[in-house]
Amino acid sequence: MYVQARAPSFGSGATLRDRIELLPTGGSRWKEMTIKPISGHTSDSSVLLYRDPLGVIQEFFSRPSLASFLEFAPKRVWTNDTKQSHVYSEMNTGDWWWDTQAKLPGGSTIVPVILGSDKTHLTQFTGDKKAWPVYMSVGNICSKARREMASNAWAIIAYIPIVVWDEGKEIHGALSSRLFHQCMEVVLKPLATAGITAINIVDSDGNVRNCYPLVASYLADYPEQILVNCAAGKTSPTTQAGPHNLDDVQRAEPRTTEWVLQQIRHVAATTDPQNVSAYVAKARKCLLNGVHQPFWSTLPFFRVDNCTAPDIFHSVIRFWRDHLFKWVVNLVGKEEIDTRLKILQPIPGFRRFNKGITHLSQWTGREDRDLQRTFVALINGAKRVSSTVMRNTRAFHDFLYLIQYGSHSDKTLHYIEEVLSIFHDTKDVYIKTEVRRGKNGVLDHFEIPKLAIFHEFVPHIRQMGASPQFSTEIIERNHKSMAKQPFLSTSRYRYGPQMCRYLDRKERIRHTHELLDWVMQEQSSRQRREAVSTWSPGFQARIQSQLFPDPLEIKLTRLQTNRKGKLVWLNLTPSYTRQSLHNVSIVYGLPSLQADVHHYLCNNSDGSGPVSAQGIASVICVDVWESLHIRNSNVQDDSELSQTHTLHALPPRAEKGRYPYGHGHFILVHDSKHAQDVGIEGYRIGQLRLIFRLHLKSFSQLERRSQPFGPGGEMQANALVHTIDLAYVEFLKLSKQPEDNIMMYQAHREVSGSGRRGDVIGLDAIARFVQLIPQFGKKVNKRVKAETSTETYGSFYVNSFATSQIFQAVY
């Protein structure tokens, strides 16, 4: 209607683009510079596209949408009042910020600059178009906002030129590395100056802050880590570990800024850097890559050993895929691994490997994580999997899950060091069993650079905060909006400047939208304040939350919960309505259901409520659901909710060829009021068999009669209808201690003379979802299917690695 009533202010695409150019921008404009390489020759010109990083910092600080996520000072956080154990989470809780702040004048604000870069392909399947973007954020923005793409807490500051060299291939890598450092020095020159003299930056509240922008962290995969730190291949980017001591149990000496510069001076004193071949050969003996002028040599407070963050995805997860997984598959056998994967119980949200995994030639990070969920329990008991292999595999997965914590204490950091030590002490088993193999046969060493990087997580967490905020997956997600999409909007010819114009226009539009939203919110808030300004201060305080609701508050509907920090709910529409309890017991194969319901109503009553034994007249009907939803609060942060799990309870369906024994997921059930939020004490393991709602006729407490029925058996007029949400659960016997080596609890079916033991519970007694994996033994039963595996096997492992929340809560 608006467009029909009022014609747009532009008549063509060119006019529209001109209008966009008039919009305000909070960042800096793009620049173009032709770079003459300090070494080597290229056929085409090397064009650097970049913009001032100080303008980007000013734009971050001035945005009202980021104001609530900004921190301007370091802080110490402790686990309790005794102040014996630190907590490391956000970047400002790390030692680096605290120590650096002490070296600056009073009243200064540190701006920890976070950089990231990664070459990426712009074309798919065909073409060879590439880009080398450099991204930037600041550590003042909280990690949650930096990890969410919707927050727009990252900006692109440069496209490094990718050139073709005229020299021989043997020195192409060294020449490209030198060009990278040469370009980065141009891009970061404003930071080198401002990091010493400081600059004034105005935040969104109008406060002027005396800021020192300091490059604090660099997000990159291993090839770019050694590129940034001037390290040679097959060395550690942050320590002095070389090819022959990468697998040491202890961390090598740190690769400090002074040490690297001293090594460069030593090589340059004996070999001319312009003699690239000779210089590179000499440099590699000193664990260098041939770069003689690092861009960070002029950056104040830059630390080579601390800046390049250890990466969870490329360092640890890829180690699992490229090495550990292959070693274990060589032990167990491809067919056995695939068969075990195929018969695991289907769980919504978990990847199903219907055809196994060993046939895949290309994986993504999702496949890695879905396999890691079940891998430890999956291989336990297999023919060649010894106790040493299990200890090693369990230790590695403990390490992997621990470093993904969003918050650490000195205790959890000690756990990381402990499990990493176990992994190193037991890894020789793969050489002894001859499953560590290369192209030419069995390998008798562990010269793998990723192993040296494992030692960097604990010291880096102490210095900079939790590791997930430094994952290179953030950089890879940035590629889509800041590299690939801009490229698709170009003519494919001299696409670099076109991509910059696209990004500039998108930024102007976003900046204008945020500005208008902020103005409208301020006007609305002002109007609400004026409307209640004449009311009493006490009344204004009581309605504050209604007048100014928290915009980050999660609003969920149809929730039912009786416990803090847990949400359990059903769909609005049942799967089956108005069923009799007798028919439900027949359909679901639960002959004792009626007696168990009566037992529950009698034992869960105070004698006065609607479910008291004296007040029950009859069950009117039953509504049945085939699924429920449960969502727990984050173990480390009660203000956040974790993943939602959908749990099924399906009846036997032999006629359809699926779930001939029914299908029910496993849950942790409160068994004691003393049960804690973490740990397994005070809980029981059960399998959902039925989710239902009872519609009961009962009498009100005030007008209850001694005889609920009239002379003709009819219900008295003062009878009321009440509903109760219940579940029928078959319980399993839980072991008192975890099993050695695998360190998981065992659960066994409880079978009596009348069959499996079950009981009725209230939905509020369900604590959380858990995954049980069958104990397959030495060889899996190939006749078992995914639909019947949990009914065929009687013993299970409570999987510690099903989710990161279960890993932290169930132990």
Side-chain angles (χ1 to χ4, degrees), residues 377-642:
L378 196 74
I379 67 172
N380 189 56
K383 191 172 183 180
R384 296 184 62 195
V385 176
S386 63
S387 59
T388 306
V389 172
M390 284 311 307
R391 287 186 64 214
N392 179 274
T393 308
R394 171 74 201 207
F396 178 86
H397 285 77
D398 281 338
F399 173 76
L400 172 60
Y401 274 62
L402 283 167
I403 61 177
Q404 295 182 69
Y405 277 18
S407 177
H408 282 278
S409 66
D410 292 329
K411 189 175 182 179
T412 60
L413 293 180
H414 174 71
Y415 288 156
I416 294 176
E417 294 175 327
E418 185 177 354
V419 297
L420 184 58
S421 178
I422 295 173
F423 171 77
H424 278 290
D425 290 342
T426 56
K427 68 179 183 293
D428 285 342
V429 67
Y430 302 114
I431 293 178
K432 294 177 181 178
T433 54
E434 299 184 344
V435 295
R436 169 156 164 71
R437 301 169 186 167
K439 295 180 180 179
N440 299 321
V442 178
L443 301 177
D444 60 354
H445 62 80
F446 290 99
E447 295 175 2
I448 306 171
K450 294 181 178 67
L451 287 175
I453 297 176
F454 289 0
H455 292 296
E456 302 308 301
F457 281 96
V458 170
H460 191 270
I461 290 170
R462 293 188 188 277
Q463 289 291 318
M464 309 302 289
S467 294
Q469 61 185 311
F470 303 107
S471 173
T472 54
E473 291 180 286
I474 299 172
I475 302 301
E476 294 184 356
R477 289 198 297 267
N478 286 336
H479 285 334
K480 181 177 180 180
S481 60
M482 300 187 204
K484 298 180 184 295
Q485 287 181 352
F487 174 76
L488 295 176
S489 300
T490 69
S491 65
R492 312 304 197 266
Y493 175 73
R494 292 196 77 247
Y495 52 85
Q498 298 178 56
M499 293 170 66
C500 294
R501 285 194 292 271
Y502 172 90
L503 290 168
D504 181 71
R505 291 165 182 162
K506 292 287 288 186
E507 189 174 89
R508 289 174 184 274
I509 294 172
R510 177 181 55 78
H511 184 77
T512 303
H513 281 168
E514 288 190 0
L515 180 61
L516 293 176
D517 289 343
W518 176 75
V519 170
M520 294 176 65
Q521 290 175 6
E522 287 296 308
Q523 290 178 345
S524 177
S525 298
R526 190 181 304 112
Q527 292 172 357
R528 289 196 296 268
R529 289 190 183 94
E530 292 175 354
V532 300
S533 59
T534 58
W535 299 351
S536 67
F539 185 75
Q540 291 184 42
R542 286 197 297 273
I543 66 171
Q544 183 74 14
S545 60
Q546 300 179 24
L547 288 175
F548 309 102
D550 184 0
L552 301 178
E553 181 181 0
I554 299 177
K555 292 184 170 69
L556 297 174
T557 58
R558 309 192 302 275
L559 299 183
Q560 301 174 1
T561 176
N562 293 329
R563 293 185 184 273
K564 179 182 178 182
K566 183 195 66 179
L567 304 173
V568 180
W569 71 99
L570 303 171
N571 294 335
L572 277 177
T573 305
S575 303
Y576 309 99
T577 59
R578 302 186 63 81
Q579 303 292 310
S580 70
L581 197 59
H582 175 70
N583 288 341
V584 171
S585 67
I586 295 176
V587 171
Y588 278 80
L590 305 174
S592 63
L593 178 62
Q594 291 175 286
D596 290 334
V597 169
H598 181 76
H599 182 265
Y600 172 85
L601 295 176
C602 292
N603 290 346
N604 290 271
S605 169
D606 58 4
S608 61
V611 297
S612 62
Q614 297 83 358
I616 299 174
S618 66
V619 176
I620 302 176
C621 62
V622 177
D623 293 336
V624 178
W625 280 261
E626 291 189 345
S627 65
L628 62 79
H629 311 280
I630 183 168
R631 194 175 190 185
N632 296 86
S633 60
N634 190 298
V635 174
Q636 292 191 327
D637 187 355
D638 291 338
S639 65
E640 294 185 3
L641 293 173
S642 61

